[in-house]
Amino acid sequence: MTTATLGGMPAITYNFAYLDEQTKRMIRRAILKAIAVPGYQVPFAAREMPMPYGWGTGGVQVTAAVLGPDDVLKVIDQGADDTTNAVAIRGFFEKTAGVATTTATTEATVIQTRHRIPETPLRDDQILVYQVPIPEPLRFLEPRETETRQMHALEEYGLMHVKLYEDIARHGHIATTYAYPVEVAGRYVMDPSPIPKFDNPKMDDCPALQLFGAGREKRIYAIPPHTRVRSLDFEDHPFEVQRFAQPCALCAARGVYLDEVILDDRGGRMFVCSDTDYCESRQAAGHRGEMAPPDAALPQPVSPRGEDATRVSDDASSDLSASARGRPAGAGAGAGTGAGTGAGGTEAGHD
Amino acid sequence: MTEQPLLIAETLGKNYGARIGCRDVALEVYPGEVLAVVGESGSGKSTLLGLLSTELEPSAGRVSYRLRDGSLRDLATLGAAERRLLMRTDWGFVRQNPADGLRMAVSAGGNVGERLMAVGRRHYGDIRTEALDWLGRVEIAADRIDDDPRSFSGGMRQRLQIARNLVTRPRLVFMDEPTGGLDVSVQARLLDLVRSLVSEMGLAVIIVTHDLAVARLLSHRMVVMRQGRVIETGLTDQVLDDPREPYTQLLVSSVLAA
Ligand SMILES: Nc1ncnc2c1ncn2[C@@H]1O[C@H](COP(=O)(O)OP(=O)(O)OP(=O)(O)O)[C@@H](O)[C@H]1O
Ligand SMILES: [Mg+2]
Ligand SMILES: [Zn+2]
């Protein structure tokens, strides 16, 4: 048991990382099975957590099961470490597990995420834990779970392409920009959670272990290190990631996922890295975008983006993750100007 | 018609608890042959069709099918994967209720293309070209390809079901009351279409109907069911013009009188 003390007073005691050992063992068994069968959704007996569904209960349980006392935890929501949601989950594990936390991707050993994969390439000593709202990629066309289970078992994935066909028929291109389905290790088709498809290539051959937890639906799945992950497509409509015409306005990074930030109500806006740690590290290293504040303003931990800035969002739940320190977080509406960007293709829920 | 049967049912039976769905049915269907299953409501037609198409599990007897490689297989011994592949490539299903046979929220093109994608086709342009071709063959205008069947009339929905099924060039199609609920002129057009596609493609069809006129128009042979049993079987013209069983005589005369 870990005893946290507050101002000398004995505080509530928790089992390490909140969950009891038996529950953690049960979750670890599910994780091991998920690793053994990459992309396969393993049912598990999800527990009630002291937070509502939609706040990452699936991810939190997976994190609790893999966390050790020496781990260093990072939590991001839409790429940002400082949203209410990320701060709350980080605080939860500081309190219940007493682990060290960080915002630096390079320092973390466990990273829990909602909707993004960090820009900094992950290593083989890191675990990425995704919060998943809807684990079943076939659901939108086949609501019967008995049937989708059969389809997975028999590798009948024609329906996934029907969805992509419909996209092209209606929009002229594959308009799905979030939760873009992937085939894992040449076998199971998997929903990568509502990350932008920009992040899909990062899952392929990734040295880090990737774990996915869906709390409400009680499912865990995994991508073991160095697994082939392929985004589904057509021969004549190959998979493409979003492209951004301009670099980050703060750190000048190219080839990263940008969010549009509204600066004022007179149409002022800028495009900035959705990954705050990546952006701030680059600024600290001296990279300057065209709207970067003067050197003197750095490297304060204060957001250079201005207190009034509003991240463009199409996510009704984004108010849950209002910034704690002036870098307002939103759904990352996909600020790219390339094909297939703009409003999110699929709904991007919490959990 | 060739010499070897495509599908053989032997001593086939189905009980629903104490109730008998159908019992002791034996029949054969040959390649290119249209077999009509007729009988009054509750006589076991749908149950029999379900057994023949492996959608229902028999309480007794068996169904064998000749695969494309020529081998005759007891369908109960096929694995789930093999059976489902058969169902979406070599077989077709046209349901009375289009919502059971179509994806109502998917465009007409997607409905027709689904089977192609299910067998691994991954070229959007080719799939669309083939879907267009099939929509044309079932007389659905090309400019409806991106509309979903919710905006289609009953007759169009049935024609779309047919296109969706025939796109993989199956050898056997099951139909359960495909013209039920359609008005007479729409029925006639659909039956005409089915008839020409059947002869053009050499399809074998097992069609359930309680409309003897449908049986007359489409089928080569027919079986008459009553209380779960096949009570008469023969060439359609023979059965309709010269029924042997008193029950069939009654059925035919009542229809002709009506
Ligand atoms: N799922 C079921 N459970 C119990 N009894 C059933 C079930 N399905 C059919 N039956 C019974 O089996 C018998 C045959 O039914 P079936 O649906 O095969 O008849 P049918 O000839 O297709 O009738 P209809 O012309 O009305 O469609 C009937 O007595 C029916 O009540
Ligand atoms: Mg029936
Ligand atoms: Zn940046």
Side-chain angles (χ1 to χ4, degrees):
Chain A
M1 297 291 256
T2 304
T3 306
T5 53
L6 276 170
M9 296 279 288
I12 311 159
T13 60
Y14 300 96
N15 195 45
F16 180 80
Y18 186 79
L19 294 174
D20 63 84
E21 292 308 310
Q22 201 166 330
T23 298
K24 283 191 279 188
R25 272 198 295 277
M26 176 273 293
I27 296 172
R28 285 178 201 136
R29 277 195 296 273
I31 291 172
L32 286 174
K33 189 169 174 187
I35 293 169
V37 192
Y40 172 74
Q41 299 166 47
V42 180
F44 79 112
R47 291 289 190 263
E48 290 297 318
M49 296 302 285
M51 57 191 75
Y53 290 123
W55 283 71
T57 57
V60 166
Q61 289 177 79
V62 170
T63 298
V66 300
L67 211 56
D70 299 330
D71 273 312
V72 180
L73 177 68
K74 171 182 166 80
V75 182
I76 47 173
D77 182 353
Q78 316 269 2
D81 297 89
D82 57 4
T83 67
T84 308
N85 203 14
V87 170
I89 293 172
R90 203 162 54 229
F92 174 77
F93 284 112
E94 280 166 0
K95 191 162 159 192
T96 60
V99 293
T101 57
T102 183
T103 59
T105 299
T106 51
E107 284 168 18
T109 58
V110 176
I111 302 171
Q112 181 172 328
T113 182
R114 171 176 176 266
H115 296 191
R116 277 307 315 274
I117 298 175
E119 303 291 358
T120 307
L122 300 176
R123 301 182 310 261
D124 62 3
D125 61 341
Q126 294 177 311
I127 299 177
L128 185 60
V129 178
Y130 297 74
Q131 301 172 199
V132 179
I134 300 169
E136 179 49 70
L138 296 162
R139 176 155 322 150
F140 58 91
L141 285 178
E142 181 50 74
R144 291 169 300 174
E145 199 185 318
T146 48
E147 184 64 15
T148 55
R149 230 182 283 159
Q150 276 274 331
M151 292 166 132
H152 283 294
L154 301 174
E155 217 174 330
E156 290 178 6
Y157 290 127
L159 208 50
M160 259 354 294
H161 278 86
V162 173
K163 165 78 164 71
L164 300 180
Y165 171 96
E166 293 289 288
D167 253 18
I168 302 171
R170 277 163 208 214
H171 307 282
H173 58 91
I174 299 176
T176 301
T177 52
Y178 284 91
Y180 191 106
V182 294
E183 175 201 83
V184 181
R187 177 57 179 84
Y188 284 95
V189 166
M190 190 195 91
D191 185 325
S193 87
I195 58 172
K197 67 177 181 175
F198 179 90
D199 284 340
N200 274 23
K202 296 177 186 162
M203 292 185 285
D204 181 38
D205 196 31
C206 178
L209 171 62
Q210 300 173 79
L211 301 175
F212 299 77
R216 187 171 16 217
E217 305 220 6
K218 305 176 171 38
R219 292 286 186 280
I220 287 172
Y221 49 100
I223 303 173
H226 298 295
T227 298
R228 178 96 177 89
V229 177
R230 197 177 59 80
S231 301
L232 302 184
D233 62 1
F234 285 102
E235 291 157 18
D236 48 344
H237 286 266
F239 173 79
E240 276 176 358
V241 298
Q242 293 102 323
R243 269 189 286 271
F244 300 91
Q246 67 284 75
C248 172
L250 294 176
C251 77
R254 290 182 182 276
V256 297
Y257 193 75
L258 302 181
D259 283 342
E260 183 179 3
V261 174
I262 305 289
L263 298 171
D264 52 48
D265 53 11
R266 297 178 303 279
R269 56 183 197 157
M270 62 179 177
F271 292 95
V272 297
C273 292
S274 127
D275 184 334
T276 51
D277 167 60
Y278 184 79
C279 196
E280 282 160 19
S281 309
R282 277 181 57 87
Q283 291 176 67
H287 296 280
R288 286 288 173 277
E290 60 181 18
M291 296 181 79
D295 274 355
L298 288 167
Q300 261 49 273
V302 173
S303 169
R305 287 156 202 230
E307 294 298 320
D308 300 327
T310 310
R311 192 83 71 104
V312 170
S313 169
D314 60 350
D315 183 349
S317 64
S318 63
D319 58 326
L320 294 175
S321 37
S323 170
R325 57 174 174 111
R327 187 188 202 270
T337 51
T341 61
T346 52
E347 84 290 359
H350 274 275
D351 209 359
Chain B
M1 249 169 260
T2 52
E3 54 302 327
Q4 295 219 358
L6 187 60
L7 179 136
I8 303 170
E10 298 161 276
T11 64
L12 201 56
K14 174 75 181 176
N15 304 327
Y16 298 103
R19 177 170 303 175
I20 292 164
C22 76
R23 73 204 295 186
D24 206 25
V25 174
L27 57 79
E28 293 180 345
V29 180
Y30 286 80
E33 182 184 38
V34 179
L35 177 74
V37 179
V38 304
E40 65 191 2
S41 184
S43 59
K45 305 181 297 292
S46 295
T47 300
L48 176 60
L49 199 71
L51 292 172
L52 296 175
S53 63
T54 73
E55 292 191 329
L56 291 176
E57 228 180 292
S59 310
R62 66 174 171 175
V63 182
S64 310
Y65 182 72
R66 195 169 307 282
L67 299 177
R68 281 184 196 255
D69 67 6
S71 65
L72 189 69
R73 292 282 298 276
D74 178 347
L75 291 176
T77 66
L78 290 186
E82 218 177 348
R83 194 169 52 78
R84 286 170 66 112
L85 182 67
L86 188 74
M87 290 171 93
R88 62 169 193 261
T89 54
D90 219 23
W91 291 359
F93 297 81
V94 179
R95 319 276 176 185
Q96 174 171 1
N97 178 2
D100 297 335
L102 293 172
R103 295 197 186 276
M104 298 303 281
V106 167
S107 70
N111 264 289
V112 178
E114 179 174 346
R115 277 178 166 228
L116 297 175
M117 293 179 250
V119 297
R121 296 274 295 274
R122 294 292 178 262
H123 191 285
Y124 174 83
D126 290 354
I127 291 165
R128 198 163 168 87
T129 303
E130 209 154 325
L132 267 175
D133 177 48
W134 270 101
L135 291 179
R137 293 176 72 165
V138 299
E139 300 162 16
I140 294 175
D143 66 3
R144 304 302 301 270
I145 188 170
D146 294 329
D147 296 344
D148 71 46
R150 285 175 298 206
S151 69
F152 285 11
S153 69
M156 284 172 78
R157 290 176 183 184
Q158 294 308 65
R159 296 202 302 275
L160 182 60
Q161 272 205 76
I162 290 167
R164 170 177 162 87
N165 278 284
L166 298 192
V167 67
T168 52
R169 306 194 159 272
R171 294 186 301 156
L172 174 61
V173 179
F174 300 93
M175 301 184 179
D176 195 348
E177 308 270 7
T179 58
L182 300 177
D183 52 63
V184 180
S185 64
V186 177
Q187 264 194 33
R189 185 170 169 206
L190 186 68
L191 291 172
D192 239 31
L193 177 72
V194 170
R195 201 160 61 154
S196 65
L197 286 172
V198 159
S199 66
E200 207 176 293
M201 299 177 70
L203 285 176
V205 176
I206 303 175
I207 179 169
V208 163
T209 178
H210 52 232
D211 185 342
L212 294 186
V214 170
R216 167 89 82 183
L217 188 71
L218 283 184
S219 70
H220 305 110
R221 275 196 313 131
M222 59 188 282
V223 300
V224 181
M225 294 192 73
R226 189 186 185 197
Q227 293 171 354
R229 293 177 181 276
V230 171
I231 58 157
E232 181 153 5
T233 169
L235 296 174
T236 300
D237 290 341
Q238 253 166 38
V239 172
L240 292 180
D241 295 341
D242 185 17
R244 270 174 300 152
E245 291 293 319
Y247 174 77
T248 317
Q249 289 166 3
L250 193 70
L251 204 68
V252 171
S253 62
S254 63
V255 165
L256 295 181

